[in-house]
Amino acid sequence: MQRPLAVMNYLAHLLFAQPSSDSRIGNLLGDFYHGTKLELLSPAVAAGLYNHRAVDWFTDHHPEVRAARLWFSPDMRRFAPITLDMLFDFCLIKYWRHFYDSDFTEYKGQLYRSLQNDLPQMPDAMASTFKAVTEQDWFGNYVQLEGIQYSLRRMASRGRFTARYAAIADELPELQQQTELLFLSFFPQLQLFIQQAAIEQNPLLAFDRYSKATGKDQSNTA
């Protein structure tokens, strides 16, 4: 199976997970399960999935994040949301000590070990991806802006984007400073939103908590 070529914002989703396999898997599941019936998931995994969706909902509806998509040139704006997700993980690593007391390298090592233990419980596509994440240190690639540029260019060259959209990587250096300022304003708001939503506090009530947090109802499919 061909592995994905970018980490997107997996790091942020893992940070908002609880320290358990079910929660980590659920919080990553939004990028891997489509059309799967939620009643087939355990309550704890489903709660993690709702938490993932709440993070995405808040990010997608945040006015400053939506406005930031216009920073990119008109031809590139189609892929601005993906690019901003990747840039936010870069900012999260760069400003890690602003939000967390732990050392990022130590946290990353512990996270990789946990994900390795989670692999047998993951769907095949997820397991393939996170086997590569942990063995090839994908999160380590995001320490430098060049790592994100490389991922975007690889995505374009391998068909995830059309090749001409590889040029979006060239716009990142000019946008770096304003993206970092946006992130430093936005991320604490996201942290507070997820804390107050408390979606995973009671897995059996996760759907109600998700609906109240986002004001969004949904079907029974992931």
Side-chain angles (χ1 to χ4, degrees):
M1 180 182 294
Q2 178 179 308
R3 71 175 178 86
L5 296 168
V7 179
M8 303 304 185
N9 60 341
Y10 296 159
L11 178 60
H13 282 298
L14 285 164
L15 271 173
F16 287 114
Q18 300 301 307
S20 71
S21 292
D22 283 346
S23 180
R24 285 188 295 272
I25 291 171
N27 274 275
L28 295 171
L29 199 57
D31 294 324
F32 293 92
Y33 255 152
H34 301 283
T36 298
K37 293 184 180 299
L38 292 176
E39 60 264 26
L40 300 179
L41 303 176
S42 71
V45 172
L49 173 60
Y50 288 131
N51 202 58
H52 173 115
R53 290 178 170 178
V55 170
D56 285 352
W57 181 90
F58 185 84
T59 303
D60 291 342
H61 287 79
H62 193 281
E64 292 180 69
V65 174
R66 293 172 68 90
R69 298 171 185 174
L70 300 179
W71 296 346
F72 296 87
S73 61
D75 286 344
M76 300 295 117
R77 286 174 191 164
R78 176 182 174 188
F79 300 106
I82 292 174
T83 305
L84 284 171
D85 276 351
M86 297 165 72
L87 283 171
F88 282 167
D89 265 3
F90 161 76
C91 293
L92 180 56
I93 295 169
K94 181 172 181 177
Y95 292 100
W96 183 265
R97 286 289 193 173
H98 283 60
F99 304 103
Y100 302 100
D101 294 331
S102 62
D103 176 77
F104 175 71
T105 300
E106 293 179 2
Y107 170 82
K108 182 182 67 171
Q110 294 172 354
L111 181 61
Y112 283 174
R113 289 189 289 274
S114 296
L115 289 170
Q116 283 282 352
N117 291 332
D118 296 340
L119 292 178
Q121 303 175 57
M122 294 181 180
D124 289 345
M126 184 190 295
S128 176
T129 295
F130 284 94
K131 186 174 187 294
V133 167
T134 57
E135 292 180 354
Q136 301 171 20
D137 191 17
W138 286 16
F139 292 145
N141 293 333
Y142 276 25
V143 172
Q144 301 293 331
L145 187 67
E146 290 81 359
I148 297 178
Q149 292 177 295
Y150 174 79
S151 291
L152 286 166
R153 291 178 180 127
R154 288 271 290 169
M155 289 166 70
S157 69
R158 297 288 288 274
R160 183 71 182 272
F161 300 155
T162 57
R164 69 189 183 94
Y165 285 108
I168 198 169
D170 298 329
E171 300 187 12
L172 301 194
E174 292 185 3
L175 300 178
Q176 179 179 348
Q177 183 176 8
Q178 61 203 91
T179 302
E180 291 179 11
L181 291 173
L182 167 61
F183 176 81
L184 291 172
S185 170
F186 160 76
F187 192 69
Q189 298 174 53
L190 176 58
Q191 287 179 303
L192 181 61
F193 172 76
I194 294 300
Q195 179 183 358
Q196 292 178 338
I199 291 168
E200 295 190 78
Q201 188 175 57
N202 188 333
L204 294 176
L205 297 177
F207 176 79
D208 288 338
R209 291 181 180 274
Y210 167 79
S211 299
K212 290 176 181 177
T214 64
K216 177 182 177 183
D217 199 357
Q218 59 184 34
S219 67
N220 67 338
T221 60

